[in-house]
Every structure is written in structure tokens, then in C-alpha cells.
Amino acid sequence: MKAPLLFVMLWLSSVANVWAQTNCYPIRRSAPFYANAIKTSIGSQSDLFYGLGDGFVYPAFKDGGYLHIPDLIYRQQFWIGGRDESGKWKNSYMLSAIQDRDFVNGPGSIDPSDCVNWGHVWVVNGYEVASLKDDYKDGIIDSSPGYSLLVWPGRGNPYIHSLMGIQLPDQQLAPFYDLNLDGIYDPWTGDYPIIGEDCPNLIPTQMAWTIYNDVLGTREYFKGQPLGVEVGVTVFALDFPSPDDILQESVFVRYDIQNISGEQLSDVRIGHFVDAEIGCSQDDLVGCYPNGQTFYAYNDGADNLICPQGVPGYGDFPPVLTTTFLSDSLNSFIYWNRVNPWDPSDTIPIPQVIENVFHGLWQDGTTITEGGNGYMTSGNPTTFLFSGLPSDSTSWAQNNTDFEFGDRRLFGVAKAFGLISNERKVHYSVYSAHRGNDFEPPLQVDYALSRIPFLHSFYGSCFTLSIGNPLPCLTDCVWPGDMDGNGMCNNLDLLEWGISLDRMGVKRTQPFIGWLPQHGLSWGKTGKLDSDARHQDANGDGTIDPLDLFALNENFGRTVNESIDWGGVTLTGPEIKLTRIFNPLTSPDELLAPGKKFMIQFDVSDWPVDSIYNLGYSITFDPAVVSLD
């Protein structure tokens, strides 16, 4: 029996090697994304929110209640599956960015060797778009568009090759408003980035775009065959006013999916894989709300502030995470524990497991049934696991069952559709955090679901408020952390904060601490400063206190323009003296051996103590000689 088994293994290895031949090796990059109460990072491949950077941090500022700020999502991924013209099931997904390469960067039309140049996430801020539109009111661009506008990968962009080294194929790429209808993106002629051609008038606070495909990827033979799609992804966030600040606590995603397989596809299904972590990872529960096209994760109770794994928890009243489909119906919802939807000991082929979960079945193909854990119970068949309300003890919710603890992976699938060759499909979804005041988890879910209708109506109006959307701040703005209002966030801003400490004033309408301009009403000058005190209220809560230092740390070193002048005074005399502290045990000699650490003593001479409100200083050093630890 050994010889035939060896033959089968060699044959499978040969098939796998042939399947994986390609010149395309993807480089995964991510870009920070922080435009409201959610801080995250957008990945260049199919995992948008990934905890190795900023997963989905909420709330994205210290409010005094957390030692650290927890993530709501460790990882989110886009999955897709469907059938070719022969009826064969095909799918693409990525569980490990290190090992899996179902999706690779760039359009499917590029040479495989060029995909390494496409590992980018392009980010544009709303104020940049608003500034360009304002500049072009007279039909002429007077000020050079910002770098992010010049490299936006809209079709035919004439600047991106010289600035980034990327050669654009002649096809639809990143969406843009084509002012002169020439089909070419050029900000010097008034063109600007948009979230999509279907909602061209929205100017979000921040948006990001990336593109990937599954036809140039590599994969293990046992994972099945790629569907043949190209996916352009726009992520956007808003700091607009909304009921209970729901827009402040949401991130929207637009998927533009094109069939590039060369054949007609049917039974196409979009899946959202979400590795939720409501603080501590082992005590999360899950559920879905089919009428609201929503699935969610919540906690079984209060968290520790520090979880057993050493990561931060939420303490009392942890929030709820929801994923809501806006343009499509939720067709099924299921979950599994840990990384994979299959057990390595199973005899069911992996492609069959994936096909099952895409169709709202358990991994082994068993139909979900209502009641208990949903597996082989006596209830009615369904594709929606735990569709009851946790606050109703008689409904089918996970907290009302004899649940086991585990690290949950949620999987929601949209209603199936068909795509002819080269046809496109747009899919909108939104990820939201919900945290009502002093609500236990079941009532926290009720609160979360009560906010979903607004998200649907907001999408229905092309993301436009009934009172109109606010325009980004363009003049006399607050940049969180720039406490002296000079366009730079550096150590001098600490002086402004020290002088203004404990002052109170008008809270900003939609406060957050991302490095973006914000409207703020005047407080008046502190008395010892030239800047308005609203700039020292870095987090916008109406009080100048230690919490504002979090914004200073977050944005330290950033500038509004390209200025390299730090704004301070350089002293070379005796007023300030830096002295190395000698440790007789570890470094008694004046010369310090490579790799050894040392401390510096900071001396201020001839200054009256009552004249010092705070100290801000910079130390210049040669990085070839000194490295900071």
C-alpha cells in the first residue's frame, strides 16, 4: 500500500506546484486611518483592518477609563465565491497574509512582475478635496494640488509614474469626479477623488483606496480555484453630526467588484470574515439581525482592564461591534472559533467546507437549525445563527444557550448574484461601534440595533444628511495637538498646554484627535499666549486637562505644511545644560561602549522657578553614533 500512496502524494505535489507558478509576490502595506472616534489602518490586500497595526480601535482616545485602548476587530477580510459556466464552485479568500496569496495587489491586467509596485493604500483627506474645489471656483488652479491628489490612481493620471513609479493600465481604477468629462484624472483641471461614481457629491472626512485581484495570485491546490475577480476598495469615514454620534463611530466600505474571468459567473456570494475581539478575546458572543442586514459581536459581561492574554480589556459595559450590509441583503450568518472554518482532522475537502459556509451551512454541510447551538437541533432550518435578541430570555440568542467560551470568527454572506464577463457589482457595508451609558451587554445590543435604521437611510440618501453635509474646515482650524496654532505639533505645544491647564470652554461639535482640521468656536486668549485657548483643548472635550496630552503624543512631529522650522529658539549658552550621568557600576568611563545605555541630566540655570510653566525642548544627535531606546 505504500507505493500507491506515495504516487498520489507526488501527483498532488506536482499539481500544487504547477498551480502556484507566477511572478507575482505581493507586498502588504497599510496606511493609518483616523477620521472620527475609530482609529484603524487600511491594508493593501483583502484584510482591511488588521490588529498587527491598528485593528479597529475604539474609542480612539483616552477618556480616563482605560489603561490602554482595546481593539474591536483583530482582523477583517473580504471573501468571494461563485460558480463558473460549468457550475463548478470557485472562491478566493485569505486567512494568513504571510502564507496565503489568493488576492494580490493591483489590477488583473498588469504584468505579474509589476504587482509588487501596487502594494499601496492611497489616502485623501476631505479638506484637500474641498480646498481644490474652492481653488477652482474661477476655473484656474492657483495653488499646486497636494501630493495625495497628484498621485491618486485615477484613470490616465499623468503624474503618478514620475512621482511613484507606477504605470497605470488604461482602465477604470480609483473613482474620481471628471469635471471636463475627458476620461482622464488630472487635479490641475479640477478633477478630484470621490468614493464612487454612484455618490459623486460626498466629501468624506477621510477616504482610502486600494485594489487587488485573484487571477495573479498563488494558492495551495487544496484551496480550490480562483473565481476571477478584480476588487477596488474605497474606505471612508465621516465626522458629521448624527443621532447618538453613530457616524462618528462608523467606518464605511465600498467594494467595486469586476468579473475578469472571461466567462459568466453565477451564484456569486460576498462574505465578510470578522475576527472580533471585544476587549478580551475568549468571552465574546455573536448574533445577527436579519431585518437590519446586520451581524454583531458582544461581550458576555464585564471585561478585566487587562485580559489574561495581556491585551487591554474594556472593563465595565463593553461595546458592541456591528457589520451592516447597506446595498445587499444579509443571506446567512455563521461563526466558528479560532482561525480556520475547518478542523484539520476532518475528512471533508477544504473547498467543500468553504462552499458550505458560503451557503449558510455548517462546515460539514449540515443545515443550521434553530435552538441551542444551532447544530442538529429540533428547530426549524435557517441560514441565520442566533437571530434572537439577547435581552429577551425566551429568544434564540447565544447568551440564552449553554455556550462555550472561545475566540469567535464571524462570517456574514450577502445575497447571491450573477455577473457576466467584465460586468461590475458595487457592494457597500459599514462597521460600527456602539457603547451606551452603563448598559449591560444584552441592552447594549438593543442600543446598537436601534441605530442601524439611520445607517440604512443615510446610505439611501447617498450619504447626505437632511440638513446637508458640513464642509471641512479650511481656515482658522483646530489641528489636534497643535496647541499654539502655528501648523506644527511639537514640544513647544506643551508650553501652551501648561499655561492654559484647567481652563474650560466650548466643546467641539464632533471632536476627535486625528491629524485633520476641525471647526471650533473661540474661547479667547489665555492671557499669556497669542493663540486662542480652543487650540489647547486638543481632544475637544471642553476642558484643558491631561487628556489633551494624548493628542499631542498621537500627532507629535506632524505639520500642516512642509515647514521644517520647529518654531522654537535655539540656545547655545549656559541657560540650558545637558550632562551625561555616569554610572560607576555599568559605565564608569567617559567613553561609552557600543550598545551601552546612558542617561542625560537636564539643567536649567538662572531661571526663577515661578516663571516656568513647562519645558519643551529638542535634542539633536547623530543617528550614526547614537540610537534612542
Side-chain angles (χ1 to χ4, degrees):
M1 295 297 292
K2 292 183 179 180
L5 179 60
L6 177 61
F7 171 77
V8 171
M9 292 177 65
L10 288 174
W11 180 81
L12 289 175
S13 176
S14 175
V15 172
N17 288 336
V18 171
W19 190 262
Q21 287 177 358
T22 179
N23 295 323
C24 188
Y25 187 84
I27 295 177
R28 186 192 185 279
R29 296 185 178 94
S30 63
F33 193 83
Y34 191 2
N36 54 20
I38 304 293
K39 180 185 180 185
T40 185
S41 56
I42 309 302
S44 61
Q45 294 177 6
S46 61
D47 46 353
L48 289 181
F49 316 126
Y50 195 6
L52 292 183
D54 289 315
F56 199 84
V57 179
Y58 170 80
F61 48 84
K62 288 185 183 295
D63 65 357
Y66 305 127
L67 298 177
H68 306 285
I69 304 177
D71 272 352
L72 279 179
I73 299 176
Y74 180 74
R75 192 175 216 170
Q76 178 273 359
Q77 295 175 345
F78 171 86
W79 293 19
I80 192 166
R83 302 188 187 280
D84 63 15
E85 290 181 344
S86 69
K88 181 179 179 59
W89 176 261
K90 298 179 177 181
N91 51 247
S92 295
Y93 62 96
M94 292 176 66
L95 282 171
S96 169
I98 298 175
Q99 298 174 352
D100 301 336
R101 299 173 195 155
D102 285 17
F103 293 109
V104 293
N105 304 123
S109 60
I110 63 174
D111 185 279
S113 62
D114 289 338
C115 80
V116 294
N117 298 321
W118 283 85
H120 294 279
V121 178
W122 287 266
V123 179
V124 169
N125 298 316
Y127 78 91
E128 297 173 299
V129 173
S131 296
L132 185 136
K133 291 183 66 176
D134 186 67
D135 189 357
Y136 197 70
K137 284 180 178 179
D138 60 358
I140 300 174
I141 297 292
D142 299 306
S143 301
S144 176
Y147 178 82
S148 62
L149 299 180
L150 290 173
V151 299
W152 184 255
R155 186 173 196 162
N157 182 333
Y159 316 110
I160 191 171
H161 184 260
S162 62
L163 294 173
M164 294 189 69
I166 294 177
Q167 188 69 48
L168 299 182
D170 185 19
Q171 67 173 75
Q172 180 176 329
L173 291 167
F176 65 94
Y177 191 91
D178 189 5
L179 191 64
N180 60 5
L181 303 178
D182 65 351
I184 301 299
Y185 172 73
D186 188 346
W188 280 102
T189 63
D191 298 339
Y192 53 86
I194 56 176
I195 65 164
E197 293 79 2
D198 45 350
C199 292
N201 297 318
L202 173 67
I203 302 179
T205 307
Q206 193 170 64
M207 59 181 153
W209 186 86
T210 192
I211 189 170
Y212 46 82
N213 71 88
D214 68 352
V215 299
L216 300 179
T218 62
R219 61 174 66 204
E220 298 173 0
Y221 171 78
F222 298 100
K223 288 186 64 177
Q225 298 180 23
L227 185 60
V229 293
E230 179 181 284
V231 185
V233 187
T234 308
V235 183
F236 57 102
L238 313 159
D239 68 339
F240 297 174
S242 57
D244 292 327
D245 291 332
I246 179 60
L247 295 182
Q248 271 274 302
E249 299 172 337
S250 298
V251 175
F252 295 84
V253 187
R254 178 187 187 269
Y255 293 96
D256 184 356
I257 305 152
Q258 184 179 12
N259 174 8
I260 58 173
S261 68
E263 58 182 335
Q264 183 168 330
L265 302 176
S266 62
D267 192 27
V268 181
R269 296 169 185 257
I270 296 168
H272 287 241
F273 169 94
V274 184
D275 181 357
E277 292 191 359
I278 315 299
C280 303
S281 62
Q282 296 294 317
D283 59 353
D284 297 336
L285 304 178
V286 302
C288 67
Y289 175 43
N291 289 340
Q293 323 307 333
T294 297
F295 59 95
Y296 56 87
Y298 60 106
N299 215 286
D300 79 315
D303 262 347
N304 296 322
L305 286 178
I306 297 296
C307 303
Q309 300 84 0
V311 300
Y314 277 101
D316 295 333
F317 315 117
V320 171
L321 169 72
T322 60
T323 302
T324 300
F325 293 171
L326 298 174
S327 56
D328 299 271
S329 299
L330 179 67
N331 192 69
S332 63
F333 169 70
I334 197 171
Y335 88 95
W336 54 84
N337 290 336
R338 295 301 300 171
V339 177
N340 299 325
W342 59 84
D343 186 324
S345 64
D346 284 346
T347 58
I348 302 174
I350 293 174
Q352 186 60 56
V353 172
I354 299 300
E355 182 178 349
N356 289 339
V357 298
F358 261 108
H359 288 80
L361 304 172
W362 287 110
Q363 292 92 321
D364 61 1
T366 302
T367 300
I368 300 172
T369 48
E370 294 177 346
N373 64 5
Y375 185 77
M376 299 185 71
T377 61
S378 59
N380 295 324
T382 181
T383 58
F384 299 108
L385 187 65
F386 300 133
S387 56
L389 285 174
S391 61
D392 180 358
S393 61
T394 65
S395 72
W396 187 38
Q398 191 172 20
N399 68 319
N400 295 328
T401 68
D402 186 19
F403 63 85
E404 83 287 359
F405 288 97
D407 195 352
R408 317 296 189 197
R409 272 64 170 157
L410 293 73
F411 191 57
V413 181
K415 184 178 179 180
F417 56 91
L419 277 179
I420 64 175
S421 182
N422 294 317
E423 186 180 9
R424 312 183 86 95
K425 159 73 176 178
V426 171
H427 170 73
Y428 279 96
S429 60
V430 56
Y431 286 81
S432 304
H434 313 265
R435 192 170 189 242
N437 292 328
D438 300 340
F439 288 166
E440 298 295 337
L443 294 180
Q444 202 79 268
V445 172
D446 288 348
Y447 171 69
L449 299 185
S450 71
R451 306 168 93 197
I452 301 303
F454 174 82
L455 294 174
H456 283 290
S457 64
F458 188 56
Y459 162 75
S461 64
C462 233
F463 308 102
T464 302
L465 299 169
S466 59
I467 59 173
N469 293 343
L471 292 175
C473 184
L474 297 181
T475 58
D476 197 24
C477 309
V478 174
W479 291 79
D482 174 22
M483 297 183 180
D484 55 10
N486 67 350
M488 294 173 283
C489 182
N490 57 24
N491 43 30
L492 293 181
D493 294 301
L494 191 64
L495 306 178
E496 310 279 322
W497 173 83
I499 293 175
S500 302
L501 187 61
D502 296 330
R503 184 163 182 180
M504 301 179 68
V506 182
K507 178 181 177 180
R508 292 203 298 273
T509 304
Q510 303 298 129
F512 69 101
I513 65 171
W515 186 247
L516 291 171
Q518 300 177 42
H519 297 283
L521 295 177
S522 175
W523 289 26
K525 296 179 181 180
T526 300
K528 297 181 174 63
L529 303 173
D530 292 330
S531 60
D532 191 284
R534 64 195 172 95
H535 294 283
Q536 289 99 60
D537 179 26
N539 69 352
D541 65 357
T543 303
I544 300 172
D545 57 24
L547 297 180
D548 296 306
L549 295 182
F550 187 57
L552 180 61
N553 292 331
E554 177 74 26
N555 297 316
F556 192 88
R558 300 187 179 187
T559 62
V560 176
N561 300 309
E562 299 300 321
S563 173
I564 59 173
D565 180 6
W566 76 296
V569 178
T570 300
L571 297 178
T572 58
E575 291 92 344
I576 295 179
K577 184 178 181 181
L578 296 177
T579 307
R580 183 186 144 207
I581 300 176
F582 289 87
N583 187 323
L585 296 178
T586 60
S587 54
D589 301 324
E590 183 175 351
L591 296 177
L592 199 68
K596 293 293 185 179
K597 300 179 181 179
F598 64 95
M599 293 185 293
I600 292 178
Q601 179 174 312
F602 184 85
D603 295 305
V604 178
S605 61
D606 300 327
W607 287 12
V609 174
D610 60 1
S611 72
I612 300 176
Y613 290 90
N614 233 311
L615 292 174
Y617 60 91
S618 295
I619 301 175
T620 303
F621 62 93
D622 185 349
V625 178
V626 178
S627 63
L628 299 182
D629 189 345

